[in-house]
Structures are given as C-alpha cells and as structure tokens.
Amino acid sequence: MRSRKLNTNTGAAILFIIFGLSFFIITVRFLTIEITGQVDGKVLAAKAAKKYMRTSVIQAQRGNIYDSNGDPIAENVVSYNLVAILSPKATIDPSHPKHVVNPRKTAEALAKYIDMPESKIYELLTRKGRFQVEFGKAGEDISYQVKQKIEKLNLPGIVFEPASKRAYPNGAFASHLVGYAQKSSNSAQLTGVMGIEKSMNSALQGKDGKIKYEGDFWGYILPNSSKKVTKPKDGEDVYLTIDKKIQSFVEDALNKVQKEYNPKKTVVIVADPKTGKILAMGQRPTFNPETREGLSASWHNEAVETAYEPGSTMKIFTLAAAVQEGVFHPYATYKSGEFRVKNVPTPIKDHNGGVGWGKITFLEGLQRSSNVAFATLLDYIKQDKFKQYLEAFGFGKPTKIGLPNEASGKILYNYAIERYTTTFGQGTTVTALQMVQAATAIANDGKMMKPYVVEKVVNPDNGKVKETKPTVVGNPISAETAKKVRDYLRTVVTNKKTGTGTAYNIPGYSVTGKTGTAQIPNPNGSGYMTGTDNYIFSFLGMAPKDDPKLIVYALVQQPHLKAGELGSEPVKDLFNPIMKNSLQYLNIKPEKMGTASTVALPDFTGKGRQDAESEAKALKLTPVVLGDGDTITGQLPETKEKLLPDGKVLLKTNGKMIIPDFSGWSKRDVTSAAKLLGLRLKMDGEGYAVSQSIPAKSKVKSGQTITVRFENP
C-alpha cells in the first residue's frame, strides 16, 4: 500500500517537471521571438511583408506607325474587357454587393450588348467555385459607349478592365508591309506578327513597368503602405516612307484589276529612285489587319518574300551591261528567230514561235523583246563579265530592306544554257524589290540606291529621332550609260510599229521602261505551264525619262483574260493610273500639258461658312460642310496639303455636328470625316461607301460609333 502511494507521488513529480520545463521553453521562445523578431534566423516582419506584397504590371504603350505625312496607319485605341465577379467573398457590405447576385437578370441585360446568347451568359454566371469569369471574344474590345450603357444598368459584380487594342484605321492598306500585332497567349502585351509590326517590334513594343505595394487579401493597396514604382518605357513611333495618297492610288488600281481580271497574284511597288524610298507597296490577295479577314489567302509579302523568274524586264540590265561594255550597237543587225547554244539540242526562240522578223537591228530587237537579240549580246559581253554585272545590280542577295523573311533569289549560272536564258529573265530568280533596287541605277544615273521603308523612329519620351539616310549600294554603270539605256527603253514605249510597251505611253509624261512576259514553272512536273493566261505579265517603268522621279513596277500573275485580251491590259490598268496620278500629285510638270493640276489648300478656319465654300469652289474643290454653324473651326486636309481637282475638303463649323451622306466616298475621305467629327469609325468591305449606320444629315456627338460599308462598283 505504501509502495503504491510512493509510485503515485513520483509520477506526479515527473509530470510536474515535464510540464514546467515545457512552459519554461515556450515562455523563453516567445520572449526571444518578441524581442528579436526572428525565427530560425529569419525576420518574421519580412516574411509577413512578403506575404502581403503585391506586384502589378504597368503596361507600356505600343508605338504608333505613321505614313510619311504623319497620318496614322497603326495606332492604339482604348477598349474594355467585360468581367463578372461571382464570389460572395468580394462583397463586404451586403447592401452594396460587389458580386453577381441575380444571374438571370444579369444575363438578360448583358445579352442586349454583347454577341453571346443569354443562355450561355447565364451558364457562365452560375459556374461554381469561380471567383470571376470572362466572356471570351464577346466580352473583349468593348467600346466606351457600350461600357457606359452597361454601367448605367448598375449590375452588381459586372466590371470592366481597360485594355489596349491595335487599330488600323485604313483597313486593307499596305497590309503586308505594315503587318499586324496581336496579344500572345501568355502575355497581355501586343507583339508584331508580320511586316513592320514584326521587324520593328522591339522598338514599337517598349518595356512594361511595375508597381510593388502592400495589399490585402483581394489585392487592394493597404492604407499608408509603401509603394515602389518602375515606370514603363513606351514604344517608339515609326514613320514610314509610304505616302498615303500614292498608296491609295495603288490600292484603288489593285481593286479594279482584281475585280476585272481576278489574277492569282498582283504586286505593285512605287519608289523614289533618287533616295530608294518606297512610296507605296501593295498586292492582291490582301487582308484587313484589324479583322484578319483575307489573311488565310496570302501570308507572304510577295514583293519581298517571293522569288520568281522575271521574264523580259531582266533585259533592262542585260542592255545596261552591253552599253557599259561598249558592245551594244543599236543599228547593227542580227538574225532573229532562233539562237543555238553549243551542245544544247533545243534552240532559244523568239516569242513568235521562233519565226522571228528576219534580219533586224539590235534596237528593233529590244523594241520587239527578242530573246535571240539578248542571247547574242551575251557573246559580246562575255559570260563571266555578265555575271559580275548581275551581282553588281544586286541580284542573288537580299536588299536588307528590314522586312521579315526577305528572299534572295538565285542567279542560275551553272550551265551554258542557264547563262543565256538569264539574259532574258528565264531560270534566274529575283524578287520584285531587287528589280526596283536595280532599276534605281538606271533612273539615278548609275547610282544604285538601297530601298527602305522606315523614314524615322521617334522616341515619345525625349523626342530623340533616328532617321534613315539614303544609301548608295553600288555603281554598276556610269551616268552616261544610264542615260543611253533610258533613251533606248523609251523607244519600246513610243515606237508604234515595233514597240511592245506602247500601252504604257502616258500623254504628257515620257515613260521609259520594259515589258515582261515570264513563264511559270510547272508545279506538277518539269518544264513550264502552258496556256495564254499562265504567265506573269509585268512592266518596269520610270518617268520622266530625262530625270526620273518615280519607278513603278507592276506585275500580274495568271489573270483571267477574255478572248482577244492581251496580258498587257491588266498591267496597264495598274501602271498607267498609278504613274500618272502620282506624278500629278507630286506636281511633276507634264512636258506637253502645262502645270500639274494640284491645289495647295488655304487655311479656312475662322472664316465664314459661305466665304469658305465659295473659296473652295473657286479652287475647283468640292467643299463638304460638317455642321450647322456659321464659322469654320476645323478642316481636313489641313492647310497647305495638296489636292487634285474635285477633291473633297471637309469643313467643320462651330454649330452642331451633322453627318454627311457617305455614298460613293472613298475610305480615305470617310476616315477624314470621322476624324474631324470625333467619331469612332468601323469599316466593312472594300471599295466605296454604300451604306452607313447613322443616316445622313443626322446630328452626332463626339465619341459616337458609326459603321460604314464599302463595296467595289
């Protein structure tokens, strides 16, 4: 009995000691933490701060892309993404709910403003376990006007997140050159995918900033919390060499040829031969960079990324080599029809089936585009020397224009037959851009200019400008040779009896250049395609002959020709209006037509409405008044810009703004009117305006959205 009592007392004592020791250790541990603020050498305050430290990205603004006159081609516009908060945890005060409390009512209301069925919206709003949901494409790019309408409904839990959207106000306009930008799957930042948007992405994109702050459970900044801000660096603005008006001439001509002939491909380049500036570049098929409509039909910039056999336009450079070597004697004769290459069974033939035109002069051979004439000239130039000229003219290597995926082409010169066929553009491949670069040497008195499309890059923060300077990349021929070549090529256009280029003779302007009819390699086997339509028809021309201000290269692949139609007809429908309109726009004086008919706009602002209208009409312009006021407060085009006769000058008054009738207007004019009125413009289709969502003569307010549909006549 006494032994049991002793054991009980001993056990109690042991327990007391254990609990006492534990209490002592805990107390010491607590006091140590309280005094030092550390656990295992780690500062608790730092760990707590880290737990509640938040980091948010401050997005950099992507730079804009402008034409040479400063008009926007690609720019950022503010849009909004629709978000629904579903979790009741977001609501602190039940009388002011911050989450969706009535999914049925909310779905019914939203279905009126976004392109999503009410049932689908309801399904999203009733998903379990989700803090918030978004609405896919239907909830993206919400305009400010629609946002305001939804906000007025006071729907609990419906919020908007601001977003930056890339806008292309001109629609399908030099689309493959400009390219497009889109958000990547793992970032909200816009990234260039094609064209200038891709090649200049690092300059345009800028660098995002960030903000570090102490936040609560929901991420909101805590009162009196410290913040560390790293400012974003906005992207630089890129100014192109593209001239908006000349590009518009190109787009209009391309639309016409596409509609009438439906070719497989069409390409046009307009360049300033004195500097190498590309003033316009277009193609068909094309696409709308904002909607991506048409993109699946053509991913490539055909002028830059595609190498092809050029056909007889290559004879320009064979002629230049022969003249420079002193072996082109225009009135010496040769036997046309066929030319035989040693050990090659099939002869080179002239394009009339090898019949030829008998014994003719080399000048007539040029005018008739005789393959035999140029094969014969190679024997005088010598094969090794001719290859040196090809390389000096830049063939076989990229121009380094700075656009993505530039092709280099290939000088096919391994066998004798390939050397002879290269003289007239068969076998050897080139890009359209290489042809234009080489042509600058002919137009610019022997100095070959590197083509470029970026005029300058401007830093929006400090105004620093990086400007592209014209670059001479070679002198393949002398100024004297260049002048003689232009003189000889002029006869291709003017000689009505033998010239193959008479369709490109523009009254008043001395066009000089060369036609091309290139065979297309058979995709299903060896040899070339057959049939009257299966060619690449082209013309590489410049004007005026004695001092060329423009080079225009137009080519059309596989047009659908009617019986009796020639391949030169769709090419003429490109080259002639583009060259003529561009020369007139640049105020190049015609040689037989007096002064060029363009008008430098006066300043109409501040003038009375009637006086401004009268003055515009006296200048042979078409005034369009936007508003019911009596004083002009704004105008487009702006002061000193040049317009062709009958061009529209838009006059904004100090009264209420009134929408005009856009029927028959071009995209350029509609865009100008929308800009002057402060309207958000959505354009659908190509061609000329046929309908508008806001009726003509309606009063409008800045910020309204108008949709205008365009169709080709």
Side-chain angles (χ1 to χ4, degrees), residues 319-326 389 392-393 438-448 474-486:
L319 171 65
V323 173
Q324 183 70 29
E325 288 297 301
Y389 277 103
F393 275 115
T440 62
I442 309 299
N444 193 35
D445 290 340
K447 295 178 182 179
M448 189 168 73
N475 289 85
I477 56 175
S478 67
E480 182 183 2
T481 292
K483 183 181 182 304
K484 287 181 179 179
V485 170
R486 296 198 302 268

Side-chain angles (χ1 to χ4, degrees), residues 484-540:
K484 287 181 179 179
V485 170
R486 296 198 302 268
D487 288 341
Y488 294 142
L489 292 175
R490 174 64 177 158
T491 68
V492 174
V493 177
T494 58
N495 194 309
K496 295 180 180 180
K497 181 180 179 181
T498 59
T500 55
T502 55
Y504 308 101
N505 195 24
I506 301 174
Y509 292 105
S510 53
V511 172
T512 182
K514 184 71 186 73
T515 56
T517 304
Q519 291 180 289
I520 302 172
N522 190 341
N524 300 317
S526 61
Y528 292 91
M529 299 179 69
T530 58
T532 56
D533 295 354
N534 287 324
Y535 293 91
I536 298 175
F537 302 101
S538 62
F539 186 75
L540 176 54

Side-chain angles (χ1 to χ4, degrees), residues 238-250:
V238 175
Y239 289 76
L240 302 182
T241 59
I242 296 297
D243 188 295
K244 192 172 182 179
K245 287 186 172 60
I246 295 178
Q247 184 69 38
S248 295
F249 297 147
V250 169

Side-chain angles (χ1 to χ4, degrees), residues 298-536:
S298 179
W299 279 87
H300 300 98
N301 183 336
E302 298 292 341
V304 178
E305 300 179 48
T306 301
Y308 60 96
E309 297 179 24
S312 293
T313 47
M314 180 61 86
K315 292 172 181 174
I316 294 174
F317 310 107
T318 309
L319 171 65
V323 173
Q324 183 70 29
E325 288 297 301
V327 296
F328 183 78
H329 304 292
Y331 300 108
T333 59
Y334 74 100
K335 179 69 167 64
S336 65
E338 291 186 355
F339 179 93
R340 292 198 171 270
V341 179
K342 187 177 180 180
N343 298 323
V344 176
T346 304
I348 291 172
K349 296 183 178 181
D350 280 325
H351 58 78
N352 61 354
V355 175
W357 304 273
K359 196 173 184 180
I360 58 176
T361 66
F362 279 96
L363 182 59
E364 185 177 341
L366 168 66
Q367 294 163 358
R368 292 188 181 276
S369 198
S370 165
N371 293 340
V372 172
F374 286 85
T376 303
L377 283 175
L378 182 60
D379 285 342
Y380 300 152
I381 300 169
K382 304 303 180 186
Q383 294 179 14
D384 290 344
K385 178 64 70 173
F386 182 54
K387 187 177 183 183
Q388 293 175 17
Y389 277 103
L390 292 172
E391 292 170 344
F393 275 115
F395 297 114
K397 55 183 180 287
T399 67
K400 298 183 180 179
I401 192 173
L403 290 170
N405 308 317
E406 183 178 6
S408 60
K410 184 177 181 180
I411 300 174
L412 199 64
Y413 221 70
N414 297 317
Y415 302 101
I417 187 62
E418 295 170 345
R419 299 163 194 165
Y420 283 100
T421 59
T422 291
T423 65
F424 51 85
Q426 187 172 302
T428 286
T429 57
V430 302
T431 67
L433 197 61
Q434 286 175 334
M435 294 292 283
V436 169
Q437 176 181 264
T440 62
I442 309 299
N444 193 35
D445 290 340
K447 295 178 182 179
M448 189 168 73
M449 306 304 296
K450 179 181 178 179
Y452 64 100
V453 292
V454 175
E455 181 88 59
K456 60 183 177 181
V457 179
V458 180
N459 187 311
D461 295 329
N462 55 28
K464 185 178 179 181
V465 178
K466 292 177 285 187
E467 192 169 357
T468 305
K469 301 294 185 182
T471 303
V472 178
V473 290
N475 289 85
I477 56 175
S478 67
E480 182 183 2
T481 292
K483 183 181 182 304
K484 287 181 179 179
V485 170
R486 296 198 302 268
D487 288 341
Y488 294 142
L489 292 175
R490 174 64 177 158
T491 68
V492 174
V493 177
T494 58
N495 194 309
K496 295 180 180 180
K497 181 180 179 181
T498 59
T500 55
T502 55
Y504 308 101
N505 195 24
I506 301 174
Y509 292 105
S510 53
V511 172
T512 182
K514 184 71 186 73
T515 56
T517 304
Q519 291 180 289
I520 302 172
N522 190 341
N524 300 317
S526 61
Y528 292 91
M529 299 179 69
T530 58
T532 56
D533 295 354
N534 287 324
Y535 293 91
I536 298 175

Side-chain angles (χ1 to χ4, degrees), residues 178-230:
V178 176
Y180 69 93
Q182 66 181 15
K183 295 177 183 177
S184 60
S185 57
N186 56 358
S187 171
Q189 195 172 40
L190 291 166
T191 302
V193 178
M194 290 176 62
I196 288 293
E197 291 275 30
K198 180 178 180 179
S199 63
M200 297 295 293
N201 187 64
S202 59
L204 289 163
Q205 195 170 58
K207 187 176 182 181
D208 286 344
K210 59 184 176 181
I211 177 172
K212 289 185 175 181
Y213 60 92
E214 293 177 49
D216 61 12
F217 178 78
W218 305 111
Y220 293 109
I221 298 177
L222 293 172
N224 302 318
S225 68
S226 61
K227 297 186 291 289
K228 183 178 180 182
V229 178
T230 303

Side-chain angles (χ1 to χ4, degrees), residues 12 101 255 260 288 452 537:
V101 295
N255 284 339
E260 188 166 348
N288 185 313
Y452 64 100
F537 302 101

